[in-house]
Amino acid sequence: MKEGLGWFFQLFTGLFLVALLGVHMLGMHMDTLLPRFGMGYKDPLVFQEVLKRGHAPLFVAFYVVFLGLALYHGFYGLRAVLMEVWASSRTLSSINMLVWSLGLFLFFLGTAVSVGFFLV
Amino acid sequence: MERRVSVKVQRYASNGLPPRIEQYEVPQKEGMTILDALMFIKENLDGSLAFRASCRMGICGSCAMFVNGYPYLACHTQIHEIGKQELIIKPLPNFPVVKDLVVDLSSLFDRHRTVLPYLIRSEEPDDTRPIVQRPDELEAFLKFSYCIKCGICVSGCPTCASDPTFLGPQALAQAWRYSADNRDEGFAKRKESLDRPHGVWNCHLAGACSEACPKGVDPALGIQRLKRALIASYFGLFRKRKATLGPPVSWEAAPPEGAPRPPERTVTPEDTSLSGD
């Protein structure tokens, strides 16, 4: 992948994260605000509500997309830090491999938990 | 009573011994620059002090150094601007030290060369037809052309401090200076050195380069414009007005009526020893 496209995608994911985090904060942690406008859940952190969301396809899709974007954004930043700490053309492929493998592992792990819970 | 300033200079001789600080007392005169103080030390107190200087007017970029924790051009900064009666002068950070305040700038020039810092044209130049450039097209790159390659931006850059393979603000700003020029057609060639690991994308916009630049070049702005142009080029959106050639100029033609004339020759080649004999 072109170096600049990776950087551009990080900008792009950053914008999406702001939007998705906004949805998450409004729905989960500002739960007294939305019901006043006839939206959202009452007591969203109660276990029964968590179970309900875990079985809703829209929420599962939201979790997987959120996870993928957050992991990309964070691991691209980590890669930039590692590239500066070990600044050498020889270490670049090792850093890429480490970051991609760890990111993909966490993505599949998170996806398996969300989708697995949905299917149960 | 004579006003005096205490000047502490970091001394280092590449002989394996660690750097040391030496203190000198210099009589301070009105308008005295840091370079004047160093000249006074070299001429009157310690002839072995090494520093680089040439033009004494902020043009050559030789005398950049680290004064009280901030990079300055020594010839361009008066002592009273520092606001202290004690100056601690060290060589520029992020460059290897050769001796005392002299640093090795070859890495700066090497990185500068990699971005092809010159106009690249697809056609052979036609000396009889000037390239037309509008004032707004000149404005697009003018500020970036004031770079004197002093290395101050690189010494202030936190990314250059941790990543010696990073192209650095000086080279990147110059890449934009030429890419933004409507006479240039070399952006595609320049991309090879910019769009790679440790290239333009490693700039994290700390802005220290623009703050420190003594010539007001604003490398951080150039780098952001370069990033935008690179991303736009992926989608075929990077465009600038192609330079056009003006009408042919005849150097033999007489100037139009009323145009100012050059002064007449008062000395002919035959009158001087430069005539060849």
Short mmCIF file of all heavy atoms in Angstrom, two decimals, chain B residues 2 6 23 56 74 116 127 136 142 155 165 169 178 189 205 207 237 266 277:
data_model
loop_
_atom_site.label_atom_id
_atom_site.label_comp_id
_atom_site.label_asym_id
_atom_site.label_seq_id
_atom_site.Cartn_x
_atom_site.Cartn_y
_atom_site.Cartn_z
N GLU B 2 30.92 50.09 32.42
CA GLU B 2 30.81 49.24 31.23
C GLU B 2 29.92 48.02 31.51
O GLU B 2 30.07 47.36 32.54
CB GLU B 2 32.20 48.75 30.82
CG GLU B 2 32.20 48.10 29.46
CD GLU B 2 33.59 47.58 29.09
OE1 GLU B 2 34.20 46.87 29.90
OE2 GLU B 2 34.05 47.92 28.00
N SER B 6 28.05 37.70 30.17
CA SER B 6 28.77 36.44 30.39
C SER B 6 28.40 35.47 29.27
O SER B 6 27.22 35.18 29.07
CB SER B 6 28.38 35.88 31.75
OG SER B 6 28.74 34.53 31.83
N GLN B 23 33.66 29.79 30.03
CA GLN B 23 32.98 31.06 30.26
C GLN B 23 33.89 32.23 29.89
O GLN B 23 35.08 32.22 30.22
CB GLN B 23 32.57 31.16 31.73
CG GLN B 23 31.73 32.37 32.01
CD GLN B 23 31.09 32.32 33.40
OE1 GLN B 23 31.21 31.33 34.11
NE2 GLN B 23 30.43 33.40 33.77
N ARG B 56 27.40 37.89 7.78
CA ARG B 56 27.04 38.77 8.92
C ARG B 56 25.73 39.54 8.68
O ARG B 56 25.50 40.56 9.30
CB ARG B 56 28.15 39.78 9.22
CG ARG B 56 29.50 39.15 9.44
CD ARG B 56 30.47 40.20 9.84
NE ARG B 56 31.83 39.71 9.73
CZ ARG B 56 32.87 40.34 10.24
NH1 ARG B 56 32.69 41.49 10.87
NH2 ARG B 56 34.07 39.85 10.11
N ALA B 74 23.28 33.69 14.65
CA ALA B 74 24.06 34.53 15.57
C ALA B 74 24.22 35.96 15.05
O ALA B 74 24.26 36.90 15.83
CB ALA B 74 25.42 33.89 15.80
N LEU B 116 15.04 16.75 -5.34
CA LEU B 116 15.25 17.39 -6.65
C LEU B 116 14.90 18.88 -6.59
O LEU B 116 13.91 19.33 -7.20
CB LEU B 116 14.42 16.69 -7.74
CG LEU B 116 14.51 15.16 -7.76
CD1 LEU B 116 13.58 14.59 -8.81
CD2 LEU B 116 15.93 14.68 -7.99
N ASP B 127 15.55 30.13 -24.95
CA ASP B 127 16.08 31.36 -24.38
C ASP B 127 15.42 32.62 -24.93
O ASP B 127 15.52 33.69 -24.33
CB ASP B 127 17.60 31.45 -24.62
CG ASP B 127 18.33 30.45 -23.77
OD1 ASP B 127 17.72 29.98 -22.79
OD2 ASP B 127 19.50 30.13 -24.07
N ASP B 136 0.04 35.95 -8.63
CA ASP B 136 -0.49 34.95 -7.69
C ASP B 136 0.27 33.63 -7.81
O ASP B 136 0.38 32.88 -6.84
CB ASP B 136 -2.00 34.74 -7.92
CG ASP B 136 -2.32 34.27 -9.31
OD1 ASP B 136 -1.84 34.89 -10.26
OD2 ASP B 136 -3.05 33.27 -9.45
N LEU B 142 6.70 31.88 -3.23
CA LEU B 142 7.72 32.89 -2.91
C LEU B 142 8.27 32.75 -1.50
O LEU B 142 9.49 32.72 -1.28
CB LEU B 142 7.13 34.28 -3.12
CG LEU B 142 8.11 35.44 -2.91
CD1 LEU B 142 9.24 35.38 -3.92
CD2 LEU B 142 7.40 36.78 -3.01
N SER B 155 17.07 21.54 13.35
CA SER B 155 17.52 21.45 14.75
C SER B 155 16.35 21.57 15.71
O SER B 155 16.41 21.06 16.82
CB SER B 155 18.53 22.55 15.05
OG SER B 155 17.90 23.79 15.21
N THR B 165 16.59 9.39 9.70
CA THR B 165 16.33 9.11 8.29
C THR B 165 15.16 9.94 7.73
O THR B 165 14.86 9.87 6.54
CB THR B 165 16.04 7.62 8.06
OG1 THR B 165 14.93 7.27 8.88
CG2 THR B 165 17.22 6.75 8.43
N PRO B 169 12.20 19.14 7.73
CA PRO B 169 11.41 20.28 7.24
C PRO B 169 12.08 21.08 6.14
O PRO B 169 11.40 21.61 5.26
CB PRO B 169 11.21 21.14 8.50
CG PRO B 169 12.21 20.66 9.48
CD PRO B 169 12.52 19.25 9.15
N TYR B 178 9.36 24.00 -5.12
CA TYR B 178 9.48 23.73 -6.56
C TYR B 178 8.20 23.11 -7.13
O TYR B 178 7.84 23.38 -8.26
CB TYR B 178 10.72 22.85 -6.85
CG TYR B 178 11.97 23.68 -6.67
CD1 TYR B 178 12.68 23.65 -5.47
CD2 TYR B 178 12.38 24.57 -7.66
CE1 TYR B 178 13.79 24.46 -5.27
CE2 TYR B 178 13.48 25.38 -7.46
CZ TYR B 178 14.18 25.33 -6.28
OH TYR B 178 15.25 26.15 -6.09
N LYS B 189 8.20 13.04 -10.40
CA LYS B 189 9.53 12.53 -10.08
C LYS B 189 9.84 12.73 -8.60
O LYS B 189 10.44 11.88 -7.95
CB LYS B 189 10.59 13.27 -10.90
CG LYS B 189 10.75 12.76 -12.29
CD LYS B 189 11.95 13.43 -12.93
CE LYS B 189 12.03 13.03 -14.39
NZ LYS B 189 12.99 13.83 -15.12
N LEU B 205 3.47 17.60 12.49
CA LEU B 205 3.00 18.98 12.62
C LEU B 205 3.22 19.55 14.03
O LEU B 205 2.32 20.10 14.65
CB LEU B 205 1.51 19.08 12.21
CG LEU B 205 0.94 20.48 11.99
CD1 LEU B 205 1.78 21.30 11.05
CD2 LEU B 205 -0.48 20.42 11.51
N GLY B 207 5.26 22.00 14.40
CA GLY B 207 5.32 23.43 14.08
C GLY B 207 6.58 24.13 14.57
O GLY B 207 6.72 25.34 14.40
N LEU B 237 -6.35 14.70 -8.75
CA LEU B 237 -6.92 16.02 -8.50
C LEU B 237 -5.87 17.11 -8.32
O LEU B 237 -6.21 18.27 -8.11
CB LEU B 237 -7.81 15.98 -7.24
CG LEU B 237 -9.00 15.03 -7.32
CD1 LEU B 237 -9.69 14.93 -5.97
CD2 LEU B 237 -10.00 15.51 -8.37
N THR B 266 31.64 53.85 -19.73
CA THR B 266 32.65 54.89 -19.51
C THR B 266 34.05 54.30 -19.62
O THR B 266 35.02 55.02 -19.81
CB THR B 266 32.49 55.55 -18.12
OG1 THR B 266 32.47 54.52 -17.15
CG2 THR B 266 31.20 56.35 -18.04
N ASP B 277 45.55 41.32 -23.35
CA ASP B 277 47.00 41.33 -23.60
C ASP B 277 47.81 41.25 -22.31
O ASP B 277 47.28 41.22 -21.22
CB ASP B 277 47.39 42.58 -24.38
CG ASP B 277 46.93 43.86 -23.72
OD1 ASP B 277 46.07 43.77 -22.81
OD2 ASP B 277 47.40 44.91 -24.11
#
